[in-house]
Amino acid sequence: MSRPAEAIDFIDDPTPLPHGGELKDLYLAGDAAAALRKRSAALPGWDLDARQLCDLELLLNGAFSPLEGFLGREDYEHVLSDLRLADGTLWPIPITLGVTEAFAATLGLGDEIALRDNQGVPLAVLTLQSLYRPDRETEARAVFGTLDRSHPGVADLLDRTHPVYLGGRLQGIQPPAHFDFRALRESPRELREWLARQGWRETVAFQTRNPMHRAHRELTLRAAEQTGARLLIQPVVGRTKPGDVDHFTRVRCYQALLAHYPKNHAKLSLLPLAMRMAGPREALWHAIIRKNYGATHFIVGRDHAGPGRDAAGVPFYEPFAAQELLARHQDELGIRIVPFPAMVYAANRDSYLPATDVGSDDRVEDLSGTELRRRLQTGEEIPAWFTYPEIATILRERHPAGARRGFTLFFTGLSGAGKSTLAEAVIARLLESSARQITLLDGDDVRKHLSRGLGFSREDRSANVRRIGWVAAEVTRHGGIAICAPIAPYADDRGEVRRLVEQHGSFVEVHVATPIEVCEARDRKGLYAQARAGRIPQFTGVSDPYEAPAAPELRLDTAGTTPHALADAVLAFLAERGLAG
């Protein structure tokens, strides 16, 4: 049973801590970096995905000290079982480099591998010391405590992570390029030097992935007063939870909020971290990272780094589990933990106070994230007690009243399942009552135009689905509706499409789960018969697998049901989510 926040001890040692421990900065200097860059052109290369790119940046600049590269098997297994590296050093999150089986088959221990960004720019060279195939379900249970794919970290691990991990030491060539908010992107060394120049001997760090409002200001001010420290606001601007406010908007909000702190009291610095949403383990990880950036204290709130509720509506993590885990490791962390309850607004006092201090006579008012989004959508007033006018203005600019958020409706299922017919029925129903722009990305039409020249190998089918996903994400980003109807047999491809779309809007996966016998009976082109006769190789459902979605938003069977009835079910779901109309 979790204890309330006030029952968790805050260790109050007045002795200042140094700005972090030893930093493992992995960049080569000058001529050595130039020579390695030149040599990297002849090495086998791996293009990093978004999470890997964030991890590499924080490995190279020392934010992940004491790590000197991606984890080998021994360290990986100890992290899962003990929250420690093989040498006993506290480290709770596996930092791994997943690659395809095909790429791994070309490698041997001792090989050097050039790690590149999505433009092909070499950032580092990894010397391969370990190559292994993890049990990703074991990893999910250890790190996240669940196999429920409604947890974004679990879905990412099980559906979008490559099956072979590479471990080894890194040599850095150059940092990843960032073109936004460059003055706020200090490395750990740069931030430590800034803190030292300012004479900030005590610094309390605050982690956030959301816009900050009055309650956050009150919480951080009280934490700073309690510790006698200055405040470091260090939001995550790498990868957060799908559906979060984009980091450009959030950083503008943080900049506006700074004016409401005492002068020279708060510092804003950005953290290019790929969050895992791993709750207690992630909170421990965040504390270690903030120590490396030079903070002496770290605020840990209720349900720190939790992704919310599981498929059954139960919270993934107990509300104070993160505080309890950090309290157990306080002595060896090298940074002091400041556990804090939520701050709530008591209207009768016209002030914020810790939730633990609310009395029976207090009238508490709250504005949930859902209610805030509704008010932005409708243009209704956002109360002054909730946020500052400047921040409300920034949010309204990003989410103007009346603007509809884009979404993607993604039908997947066997050939002949009825995906295209259902997609057309849904489009017709939507257009009966709406003038919104709708783009249909049907499997056959896409292959004629967007994917002309692709065959039906696993690689080509994956490329086809991911191209559909990219277009759908762009349609969604511009506020339109993308309706997709490919077979999309592989879970990792559908997961990648979800990731692309959810950066900009909602993704609704509909598994058209019509039995294969029904699909074959409908087959006017005779494709199933040809596949069973061996004349069509790698045919989904016959000679190649269909990986059914584990947790789609909707699962429908077109056998014995009319397209009209099924379209009604889809429209009802969209209306429930506030997407229709």
Side-chain angles (χ1 to χ4, degrees), residues 175-249:
H178 294 291
F179 303 105
D180 60 315
F181 305 114
R182 294 177 65 191
L184 299 176
R185 291 181 175 272
E186 293 102 333
S187 70
R189 192 171 304 281
E190 290 168 340
L191 187 55
R192 288 189 189 193
E193 291 171 352
W194 187 92
L195 295 172
R197 288 197 303 273
Q198 301 300 312
W200 287 22
R201 299 183 68 202
E202 304 273 354
T203 305
V204 59
F206 180 65
Q207 149 88 25
T208 183
R209 45 171 256 271
N210 294 307
M212 292 174 64
H213 302 292
R214 286 181 179 265
H216 302 97
R217 175 189 175 274
E218 188 68 24
L219 183 155
T220 52
L221 271 178
R222 290 185 180 225
E225 290 169 1
Q226 177 178 322
T227 57
R230 304 293 178 89
L231 176 65
L232 171 63
I233 300 172
Q234 195 175 41
V236 171
V237 295
R239 197 178 67 172
T240 60
K241 184 181 176 183
D244 282 350
V245 175
D246 66 276
H247 81 266
F248 299 99
T249 301

Side-chain angles (χ1 to χ4, degrees), residues 76 129 135 143 164 262 282 285 343 345-346 427 467 493 513 530 579:
Y76 166 81
Q129 297 171 308
D135 181 332
V143 176
V164 182
E282 180 133 353
W285 188 41
M343 301 297 295
Y345 178 70
I427 291 172
R467 289 180 188 182
D493 296 327
Q530 293 181 62
L579 297 173

Side-chain angles (χ1 to χ4, degrees), residues 126-193:
L126 179 140
T127 300
L128 185 61
Q129 297 171 308
S130 182
L131 185 152
Y132 55 107
R133 290 163 180 79
D135 181 332
R136 284 175 288 173
E137 288 194 354
T138 296
E139 180 178 339
R141 288 190 183 95
V143 176
F144 304 111
T146 181
L147 295 180
D148 186 338
R149 281 177 166 83
S150 61
H151 188 302
V154 172
D156 188 61
L157 174 62
L158 298 184
D159 297 336
R160 296 186 283 277
T161 299
H162 291 302
V164 182
Y165 287 178
L166 307 183
R169 296 171 68 93
L170 290 168
Q171 292 177 293
I173 297 172
Q174 60 184 326
H178 294 291
F179 303 105
D180 60 315
F181 305 114
R182 294 177 65 191
L184 299 176
R185 291 181 175 272
E186 293 102 333
S187 70
R189 192 171 304 281
E190 290 168 340
L191 187 55
R192 288 189 189 193
E193 291 171 352

Side-chain angles (χ1 to χ4, degrees), residues 57-399:
E57 180 170 3
L58 297 182
L59 283 166
L60 294 178
N61 70 17
F64 284 175
S65 295
L67 302 190
E68 297 183 2
F70 290 100
L71 297 186
R73 179 190 291 274
E74 187 179 9
D75 280 325
Y76 166 81
E77 291 177 348
H78 276 271
V79 168
L80 296 192
S81 60
D82 307 326
L83 287 84
R84 297 180 183 277
L85 303 175
D87 66 4
T89 302
L90 190 64
W91 189 268
I93 298 291
I95 307 300
T96 57
L97 179 62
V99 301
T100 62
E101 289 278 7
F103 183 70
T106 68
L107 304 174
L109 297 183
D111 285 357
E112 292 183 314
I113 302 154
L115 303 182
R116 304 178 177 128
D117 68 12
N118 60 4
Q119 300 297 316
V121 176
L123 304 176
V125 169
L126 179 140
T127 300
L128 185 61
Q129 297 171 308
S130 182
L131 185 152
Y132 55 107
R133 290 163 180 79
D135 181 332
R136 284 175 288 173
E137 288 194 354
T138 296
E139 180 178 339
R141 288 190 183 95
V143 176
F144 304 111
T146 181
L147 295 180
D148 186 338
R149 281 177 166 83
S150 61
H151 188 302
V154 172
D156 188 61
L157 174 62
L158 298 184
D159 297 336
R160 296 186 283 277
T161 299
H162 291 302
V164 182
Y165 287 178
L166 307 183
R169 296 171 68 93
L170 290 168
Q171 292 177 293
I173 297 172
Q174 60 184 326
H178 294 291
F179 303 105
D180 60 315
F181 305 114
R182 294 177 65 191
L184 299 176
R185 291 181 175 272
E186 293 102 333
S187 70
R189 192 171 304 281
E190 290 168 340
L191 187 55
R192 288 189 189 193
E193 291 171 352
W194 187 92
L195 295 172
R197 288 197 303 273
Q198 301 300 312
W200 287 22
R201 299 183 68 202
E202 304 273 354
T203 305
V204 59
F206 180 65
Q207 149 88 25
T208 183
R209 45 171 256 271
N210 294 307
M212 292 174 64
H213 302 292
R214 286 181 179 265
H216 302 97
R217 175 189 175 274
E218 188 68 24
L219 183 155
T220 52
L221 271 178
R222 290 185 180 225
E225 290 169 1
Q226 177 178 322
T227 57
R230 304 293 178 89
L231 176 65
L232 171 63
I233 300 172
Q234 195 175 41
V236 171
V237 295
R239 197 178 67 172
T240 60
K241 184 181 176 183
D244 282 350
V245 175
D246 66 276
H247 81 266
F248 299 99
T249 301
R250 288 191 288 113
V251 174
R252 292 175 61 208
C253 291
Y254 305 139
Q255 290 173 318
L257 185 68
L258 284 180
H260 295 278
Y261 287 96
K263 189 175 181 180
N264 300 323
H265 187 89
K267 160 75 172 170
L268 174 63
S269 185
L270 309 184
L271 179 66
L273 179 73
M275 291 185 68
R276 273 61 165 183
M277 306 305 297
R281 276 185 180 248
E282 180 133 353
L284 191 59
W285 188 41
H286 289 174
I288 294 169
I289 292 167
R290 273 28 182 252
K291 176 193 70 174
N292 288 329
Y293 271 93
T296 56
H297 299 73
F298 181 56
I299 300 168
V300 181
R302 187 180 186 276
D303 194 27
H304 187 107
R309 297 176 181 273
D310 64 18
V314 178
F316 279 105
Y317 307 113
E318 291 291 329
F320 301 108
Q323 294 183 357
E324 292 174 348
L325 180 64
L326 271 74
R328 290 200 297 272
H329 295 285
Q330 171 76 86
D331 292 343
E332 63 179 313
L333 265 175
I335 185 169
R336 298 189 193 104
I337 303 308
V338 186
F340 237 90
M343 301 297 295
V344 297
Y345 178 70
N348 54 301
R349 305 193 201 187
D350 189 24
S351 66
Y352 279 90
L353 64 155
T356 50
D357 292 353
V358 173
S360 58
D361 296 333
D362 287 317
R363 181 164 54 88
V364 173
E365 295 192 14
D366 186 28
L367 194 68
S368 68
T370 300
E371 176 63 13
L372 174 61
R373 288 189 292 273
R374 190 191 68 78
R375 291 185 182 221
L376 290 171
Q377 172 73 25
T378 62
E380 290 180 52
E381 179 189 4
I382 298 173
W385 59 261
F386 176 75
T387 198
Y388 293 99
E390 313 94 290
I391 294 174
T393 298
I394 292 167
L395 292 175
R396 289 195 187 281
E397 289 173 353
R398 180 64 180 86
H399 302 282

